[in-house]
Amino acid sequence: MKINFRRLIPQAHTTSGTLRNSFDRRSLVVGSVQGGIGVLLAARMGYLAVFENEKYKLKAESNRVNLSLIPPRRGWILDRHGTPLASNRADFRVDIIPERMVQGDNTIARLGQLLSLSPIDMQDLHDKLDKAHGFAPVEVASGLDWERFAAVSVRLPDLPGVVTQRGFSRHYPTGPAVGHLLGYVGTASAEDYEKDRDPLLITPGYKVGKDGLEKVFEKQLRGKPGARRVEVTASGRIVRDLDTREDVQGKTIKLTIDAGLQDYAARRIGPESGAVVVMDCHNGDILAMASMPSFDPNSFSDGIGRLEWKMLSDDDHVPLRNKVLRGLYPPGSTVKPMVALSFLEAGLDPEESTICNGGLRVGNRVFHCWNRRGHGRVNMAKGIYQSCDVYFYYFAQKMGMDIIAAMARRLGLGQEFDLPVVGQSYGTVPDPAWKLKKYGREWQTFDTVNATIGQGYFLVNPLQQAVMASRIASGRQLMPRLLYSDKPSMAPSLGFPQEHLDYVHKAMSDVVNGPGTAHRAALPIPDVLLAGKTGTAQVVGLNVSSGKGGLWKYRDHGHFICFAPFDKPRYACAVLIEHGGGSGAAYPIARDVMTYLWDKQKAMDTLLEFEKQWGGTAQQRLDARYRTYSAQYGVNAPAVSPEEEKAKVRQAEDTQDEPQPIVSDAQSPAPEPVAPATPAPTPSPDGADNAGGTAQ
Amino acid sequence: MTPSVVPEAVSRQPWMMLVPLFGLVVLGAAVLYSAAGGHLQPYAFSHVLRFLIFLVMAIVISRLSRNFFRMAAYPVYGGIVALLVLVELIGAVGGGSQRWLNLGFMTLQPSELMKPAIVLVLARFYETLPPPMTASLRGLVPAGVLIAIPAVLVILQPDLGTALAICFGGAVTMFLAGLPLWWFVSAGTAALIAAPIAFFTLLHDYQRNRVMTFLDPESDPLGTGYHITQSKIAIGSGGIFGKGFGNGTQSHLQYLPEAHTDFVFATMAEEWGFLGGLFVLFVFAVILTWGMNVARQAPDRFSSLLAAGMAATIFFYVAINLMMVMGLAPVVGIPLPFMSHGGTSMLTNMICVGIMMAVNRWNQRPSSFS
């Protein structure tokens, strides 16, 4: 009723006139509301444009300007003559930042098409993406040609998360020859970024040293990143460069390495598993330290793909181990010059002699000489150049183990050197105190017998053998060094009387140039006489294998240490061939490497002859092997988990703490066939010159 | 009558409104020129051309007689409703929503034409309604139906912004027609209650999203909130004097979406600053004040409702668009009159201007035979 009433009242009064009045009043209200809203809008705009101007100016700027880091060019690594061992190559690259991808699978498929990636490349890319953390860039391809790079670049707006870049990539001209020495570079891992929140680490194209010198000198090599400010559209297209700050290249590192020699040594090892170290006898410079087989650091920088990993794991030659520093081997007879020096220092007359009948009876046991027919009367010189075991068995009993162990350490065995490397396995120089401590057992006669011929618990690495050779050659306490320095360094004398050194030098020269065990090691250089010492180290007991043939892993290690010229030592060298079947596998390599130092051409001719039989250089063989694998396995190689990867690397590196079995008997050397003094030089693909100069 | 050098046909035009309007169109053309990267094509030239064509049209409209408007009101309304139905049918056949008809030489959006038409038909309706019935249901229900038919058709398209504009124009006309105030108050209250319910039941997902983003634009800066955020950045970074003609980065680097249509004000504000914004507001104030004055001076109910309704329609465009670009309203696709690039909106607004000019002409000759 109330509603009706209220409606009736105005109805009664509604006329044209009242409507006109009401229109005038209400149009005023409408106008006021409109004006009010107008004022509100003006106020709002004033607030945005005047009071919040600074804030929005900043936002507009950060919209407009894109700041990107330019990864710094890595410092070069040069050899002693200034030849680059590691340099940078300008290249075109494509990366993905997984976080920013919208339709990941489509984008990746499209990229694969544009870059014409093989199925194997695609698989590796997927593996990398699976492991990647969202923010860290994943390399799709580098070293692209302009066409493929441009094909991706122009389609960037349709490919969110894809980054193209002109930059620099690490280049190792000699590839596998420097793999172990220099290491390689790769994208920073998530752990690296966790530790160091530097945005540079997740800048596409930026690489950190992952191994070897690249890792040790990371700080010096890194350099300072540049920055580029560009104006970009909302879709990310770059309109123009605003300004650019150039990067500062990392510092150059100059090494003592001779690039040519390093490459030569690595190639000369051929298909064998081994190591070559060459040192300067004046200042301890390491001229070459090659470990083969190796990996190609160039192909590692984009990550290790499944196939590459399968190749590495299938190889029983352990390509991941730097054998120069991580390989531990019984040194065999290469310790004999060292033992002889200790005898001389302890006052043994070198002419004092013993009779070798092919063995030495101590109590009711017979310790055999490698030459079962015996050497007859043997003095110290003959003990060295004929490598007579009985001489050393006999006099070691008389002189005692302690002086031998002390001399071994003085000459560098069992030592860790102050070198810029990621790790060294320093091995074992056994003596009675060591054995008691380690095994709680008394030193036995057979322990001395084993130690004097470099068997038993004795374990050294090839670098130590090279240091020993250089110290015997110079009589000075040379320290190996890798960083080049102009300053002449005079290592302190070891305090050996010159006549002791001369005596040992002469005996070692006779090994090669006289009635010794390694005639074929003589240098083909007139007036340069090589002095050396062979070594054959048994790996398993004679009951398992003779060590000369059969299963590769049962064959003897071949060693050779040497220096030249014998009367004025300039260079020292140590060669190890793992399971080479004896020293005959080692000294031809030492001979050719030393030849290279005096006559490159002659040495190269020999090498090229060998490489014809081996199927090319180390790099070519590695590439061929990769092709075989990709044909054989394609995309069927199994995926590798990070744990597996770590385990494999640890296995290759942790050689120092491998358990040593307790030796409970003498490890008498196997009988060697005694051959004619000068056999015809026939290079065999295995490098096994066993049949030639007999070795022990 | 003193003889004048200026012909009478020219001198009787409402120059105090037209000159600022020309200024606004020229500013709009300048902004469009800049938005096209410093080229007349494709926006600025056609903008001015359309304005001139439609200005001629507006002058022609202003010459029409009052009786012609009275006669045409219902047929025009009916015709446009028919077009809306046609659009709906074509959309249904074509399998998708459609808002326009392709006439061959231009695309026509009938819902736009409905904005002035609803005012016209309601003005006619209230003129013929006997004054005592204004406050009865007889004054409410037919008008409500007249508004509801096109509004529902347009919502179905779906085009919420235009439907709101139609309702707003209709409601303002009804308000000015003298309907009891408490109807509007209770309708407003009902709308306040119904809005949340409609929000969750009637609105499309994209519309709901726009509202949500309006309430919290930073929640989704790269998605739906992107428009508002970028628009505010453009306006805010312009400062008092702007970045200068042709120097707007937000628009030139495509951060600002729809820089030449719905967000043209942000494009302008970035380059011309707060002062440019005040100029735009000033011109609209002049036009609307003039329109309301014309309405107040109109000799009869039909003319005054017509002129005031037209002013309200233009006002709705301006207010919603500016509130949207400044982050005070959700993103609805409503262009800014006389500045945004687009034929239909220019057509609608110039029809409104033309009708206001017609009423203005009737005012000057109250004793004319029309």
Side-chain angles (χ1 to χ4, degrees):
Chain A
M1 283 321 278
K2 199 182 176 187
I3 290 170
N4 243 346
F5 176 72
R6 285 182 81 179
R7 199 186 284 163
L8 280 171
I9 301 301
Q11 205 173 10
H13 295 280
T14 307
T15 61
S16 274
T18 56
L19 283 178
R20 183 78 219 176
N21 276 341
S22 127
F23 175 84
D24 286 345
R25 280 198 313 275
R26 289 187 177 187
S27 69
L28 216 63
V29 170
V30 169
S32 313
V33 168
Q34 293 182 354
I37 287 179
V39 170
L40 173 77
L41 287 171
R44 170 69 173 171
M45 189 178 175
Y47 175 71
L48 288 178
V50 181
F51 289 97
E52 294 203 302
N53 178 238
E54 284 303 315
K55 169 184 157 191
Y56 287 115
K57 246 187 188 159
L58 210 68
K59 285 193 171 187
E61 273 305 281
S62 72
N63 262 350
R64 178 177 78 99
V65 177
N66 205 336
L67 184 78
S68 56
L69 287 175
I70 302 172
R73 287 159 294 158
R74 240 178 133 68
W76 286 24
I77 301 179
L78 302 180
D79 86 334
R80 62 188 300 113
H81 306 302
T83 312
L85 291 167
S87 59
N88 302 315
R89 234 181 356 191
D91 81 337
F92 296 113
R93 49 183 297 116
V94 174
D95 294 79
I96 289 179
I97 296 170
E99 219 174 38
R100 298 196 201 147
M101 283 200 296
V102 179
Q103 283 178 301
D105 291 340
N106 284 357
T107 307
I108 290 163
R110 188 101 178 85
L111 272 183
Q113 217 174 29
L114 291 172
L115 297 169
S116 38
L117 297 180
S118 71
I120 298 173
D121 294 335
M122 289 300 281
Q123 189 187 39
D124 285 344
L125 178 58
H126 279 290
D127 285 351
K128 279 190 270 183
L129 284 168
D130 289 344
K131 285 183 209 160
H133 297 248
F135 49 81
V138 171
E139 177 170 328
V140 179
S142 58
L144 292 170
D145 51 64
W146 169 249
E147 278 74 25
R148 288 192 290 167
F149 178 75
V152 176
S153 296
V154 298
R155 289 174 180 83
L156 279 185
D158 310 329
L159 300 167
V162 175
V163 181
T164 57
Q165 204 176 47
R166 300 179 60 163
F168 291 91
S169 67
R170 202 62 159 161
H171 177 57
Y172 306 92
T174 48
V178 294
H180 287 299
L181 173 65
L182 301 186
Y184 58 97
V185 295
T187 43
S189 66
E191 294 93 69
D192 293 339
Y193 184 63
E194 229 94 285
K195 260 185 264 162
D196 179 6
R197 286 272 166 187
D198 192 341
L200 180 61
L201 293 184
I202 51 166
T203 303
Y206 178 70
K207 300 277 171 77
V208 294
K210 291 282 192 181
D211 195 14
L213 294 172
E214 294 274 28
K215 185 172 179 179
V216 175
F217 288 111
E218 174 60 27
K219 274 203 185 109
Q220 290 92 319
L221 292 169
R222 181 177 284 192
K224 289 204 183 78
R228 194 162 79 119
R229 285 176 68 230
V230 290
E231 196 174 84
V232 290
T233 66
S235 55
R237 192 170 58 82
I238 292 170
V239 180
R240 61 193 167 113
D241 281 312
L242 296 173
D243 54 46
T244 304
R245 193 185 68 220
E246 289 293 329
D247 60 313
V248 178
Q249 183 164 13
K251 288 206 181 70
T252 301
I253 304 268
K254 193 168 182 182
L255 301 182
T256 58
I257 297 292
D258 178 323
L261 186 69
Q262 171 80 20
D263 188 40
Y264 185 87
R267 284 166 65 183
R268 182 60 186 83
I269 293 171
E272 297 284 348
S273 169
V276 174
V277 182
V278 181
M279 281 177 66
D280 187 311
C281 290
H282 290 169
N283 50 22
D285 281 358
I286 298 174
L287 299 177
M289 53 188 284
S291 168
M292 295 301 273
S294 177
F295 50 86
D296 183 356
N298 290 310
S299 76
F300 267 29
S301 69
D302 60 347
I304 303 166
R306 286 189 190 190
L307 266 188
E308 283 170 309
W309 187 255
K310 184 160 176 55
M311 271 169 64
L312 293 174
S313 339
D314 286 359
D315 195 335
D316 58 357
H317 290 24
V318 206
L320 284 175
R321 179 181 296 158
N322 182 355
K323 299 185 180 76
V324 174
L325 300 169
R326 297 284 200 181
L328 290 178
Y329 310 92
S333 301
T334 55
V335 297
K336 283 175 182 167
M338 177 275 287
V339 176
L341 264 179
S342 76
F343 289 170
L344 287 169
E345 204 176 40
L348 180 69
D349 180 353
E351 293 310 321
E352 215 172 305
S353 56
T354 184
I355 305 287
C356 169
N357 291 320
L360 177 70
R361 178 174 291 277
V362 177
N364 55 354
R365 304 166 83 158
V366 176
F367 300 124
H368 289 287
C369 183
W370 64 270
N371 187 340
R372 294 289 197 269
R373 286 181 293 172
H375 289 104
R377 177 162 291 278
V378 185
N379 65 1
M380 186 181 283
K382 190 173 178 185
I384 292 173
Y385 66 70
Q386 278 287 321
S387 200
C388 176
D389 296 325
V390 168
Y391 176 86
F392 287 94
Y393 296 158
Y394 178 76
F395 284 103
Q397 309 279 328
K398 286 178 78 173
M399 311 301 291
M401 188 61 208
D402 288 327
I403 57 155
I404 299 172
M407 179 59 72
R409 296 195 183 102
R410 251 167 104 190
L411 294 185
L413 303 186
Q415 307 301 303
E416 215 168 346
F417 301 104
D418 180 24
L419 285 174
V421 292
V422 285
Q424 301 173 51
S425 298
Y426 49 88
T428 309
V429 175
D431 63 16
W434 172 85
K435 188 181 177 190
L436 197 62
K437 188 165 171 257
K438 175 133 187 190
Y439 296 106
R441 299 204 185 174
E442 287 300 318
W443 189 260
Q444 302 290 326
T445 309
F446 61 74
D447 285 322
T448 307
V449 164
N450 285 338
T452 51
I453 58 164
Q455 293 277 167
Y457 299 108
F458 229 132
L459 283 177
V460 302
N461 68 34
L463 176 67
Q464 291 169 345
Q465 285 181 294
V467 171
M468 176 171 74
S470 72
R471 288 185 181 178
I472 291 172
S474 64
R476 297 186 177 278
Q477 197 182 358
L478 291 174
M479 296 302 282
R481 56 178 205 187
L482 269 172
L483 280 184
Y484 186 80
S485 159
D486 288 331
K487 278 173 263 166
S489 72
M490 209 50 190
S493 168
L494 283 163
F496 302 131
Q498 192 57 43
E499 61 263 30
H500 291 182
L501 292 173
D502 289 346
Y503 187 87
V504 173
H505 290 179
K506 179 72 177 75
M508 287 175 75
S509 172
D510 285 342
V511 169
V512 179
N513 309 302
T517 50
H519 301 288
R520 290 188 45 232
L523 295 182
I525 312 282
D527 307 329
V528 180
L529 293 181
L530 185 78
K533 182 68 197 84
T534 53
T536 295
Q538 276 174 255
V539 187
V540 289
L542 290 176
N543 52 334
V544 178
S545 166
S546 74
K548 307 301 165 213
L551 267 182
W552 180 76
K553 64 175 179 173
Y554 293 149
R555 292 186 206 167
D556 296 341
H557 296 314
H559 291 283
F560 193 67
I561 61 167
C562 60
F563 55 86
F566 96 94
D567 47 350
K568 271 175 77 180
R570 183 76 186 82
Y571 302 112
C573 172
V575 175
L576 150 86
I577 298 301
E578 213 180 4
H579 305 299
S583 62
Y587 61 72
I589 296 175
R591 172 197 64 208
D592 293 344
V593 169
M594 291 300 262
T595 303
Y596 182 91
L597 286 163
W598 273 275
D599 190 338
K600 289 191 173 68
Q601 195 49 51
K602 208 172 250 176
M604 278 317 280
D605 291 345
T606 318
L607 175 62
L608 292 175
E609 194 59 38
F610 277 120
E611 282 183 342
K612 262 185 221 160
Q613 303 168 32
W614 295 332
T617 64
Q619 177 83 65
Q620 287 163 343
R621 291 198 309 275
L622 204 59
D623 294 346
R625 187 145 172 257
Y626 185 82
R627 280 194 298 277
T628 317
Y629 262 70
S630 75
Q632 192 176 346
Y633 296 101
V635 292
N636 299 320
V640 195
S641 73
E643 293 77 43
E644 261 177 272
E645 217 165 289
K646 284 209 180 83
K648 197 85 187 173
V649 172
R650 209 174 302 127
Q651 186 203 329
E653 290 186 345
D654 288 1
T655 45
Q656 180 62 41
D657 298 325
E658 268 178 17
Q660 277 174 280
I662 297 181
V663 181
S664 54
D665 200 357
Q667 294 172 320
S668 289
E672 297 272 352
V674 180
T678 48
T682 44
S684 69
D686 292 323
D689 286 32
N690 282 344
T694 54
Q696 181 55 39
Chain B
M1 277 269 175
T2 49
S4 166
V5 277
V6 185
E8 201 261 342
V10 174
S11 67
R12 68 159 183 265
Q13 298 300 338
W15 291 110
M16 58 91 66
M17 176 278 287
L18 284 177
V19 170
L21 177 60
F22 293 162
L24 188 63
V25 170
V26 168
L27 176 64
V31 171
L32 293 174
Y33 174 83
S34 170
H39 298 286
L40 285 174
Q41 297 292 357
Y43 309 135
F45 180 75
S46 59
H47 183 70
V48 174
L49 187 69
R50 276 182 196 146
F51 174 75
L52 293 176
I53 292 171
F54 292 137
L55 181 65
V56 171
M57 177 201 73
I59 290 169
V60 170
I61 289 175
S62 74
R63 302 295 301 167
L64 298 174
S65 76
R66 209 175 336 186
N67 285 335
F68 179 82
F69 277 95
R70 285 180 172 135
M71 259 162 40
Y74 285 104
V76 164
Y77 174 82
I80 294 174
V81 168
L83 285 178
L84 282 174
V85 172
L86 187 64
V87 166
E88 206 58 48
L89 288 178
I90 291 174
V93 172
S97 79
Q98 195 175 339
R99 295 178 183 183
W100 33 261
L101 288 172
N102 197 343
L103 299 185
F105 62 93
M106 71 173 283
T107 57
L108 184 73
Q109 208 170 315
S111 57
E112 280 290 322
L113 296 178
M114 185 49 88
K115 290 175 189 170
I118 192 73
V119 174
L120 175 67
V121 78
L122 286 178
R124 175 75 185 136
F125 169 73
Y126 283 112
E127 183 191 29
T128 51
L129 186 74
M133 283 178 160
T134 312
S136 71
L137 284 180
R138 208 18 204 92
L140 174 69
V141 175
V145 172
L146 285 174
I147 297 174
I149 292 170
V152 167
L153 284 171
V154 172
I155 279 186
L156 285 176
Q157 284 183 352
D159 185 353
L160 188 66
T162 309
L164 283 177
I166 292 168
C167 291
F168 181 84
V172 169
T173 314
M174 286 163 82
F175 178 70
L176 294 172
L179 267 61
L181 193 61
W182 67 272
W183 289 6
F184 292 93
V185 174
S186 35
T189 315
L192 274 183
I193 296 164
I197 302 166
F199 175 76
F200 288 109
T201 54
L202 292 180
L203 288 194
H204 289 253
D205 270 348
Y206 81 95
Q207 290 166 332
R208 233 196 309 276
N209 249 338
R210 281 176 176 181
V211 177
M212 293 306 287
T213 328
F214 157 65
L215 296 174
D216 183 13
E218 323 296 330
S219 68
D220 185 14
L222 290 177
T224 330
Y226 182 81
H227 291 54
I228 292 178
T229 307
Q230 295 301 335
S231 172
K232 279 159 74 179
I233 291 176
I235 297 171
S237 65
I240 298 176
F241 301 104
K243 295 177 184 168
F245 182 57
N247 292 338
T249 56
Q250 286 289 100
S251 55
H252 287 256
L253 301 175
Q254 291 125 39
Y255 290 98
L256 195 60
E258 304 289 328
H260 61 285
T261 55
D262 291 358
F263 288 91
V264 74
F265 184 80
T267 309
M268 185 283 304
E270 192 183 14
E271 296 188 359
W272 300 82
F274 186 42
L275 294 183
L278 287 182
F279 172 75
V280 171
L281 287 174
F282 165 76
V283 173
F284 283 121
V286 166
I287 295 170
L288 294 176
T289 310
W290 174 80
M292 290 311 282
N293 282 335
V294 166
R296 265 194 290 275
Q297 288 157 16
D300 57 77
R301 191 162 160 75
F302 175 68
S303 318
S304 53
L305 285 180
L306 194 58
M310 293 305 155
T313 303
I314 295 179
F315 168 78
F316 185 78
Y317 269 94
V318 176
I320 296 297
N321 178 274
L322 292 187
M323 281 161 74
M324 169 183 86
V325 298
M326 293 185 203
L328 295 174
V331 174
V332 278
I334 289 187
L336 184 63
F338 312 116
M339 285 191 78
S340 286
H341 182 256
T344 316
S345 108
M346 182 70 91
L347 173 67
T348 313
N349 287 300
M350 288 310 286
I351 288 174
C352 294
V353 168
I355 292 175
M356 287 192 296
M357 283 164 69
V359 176
N360 182 46
R361 189 174 63 82
W362 306 332
N363 294 350
Q364 286 163 357
R365 301 176 164 193
S367 60
S368 81
F369 46 86
S370 58

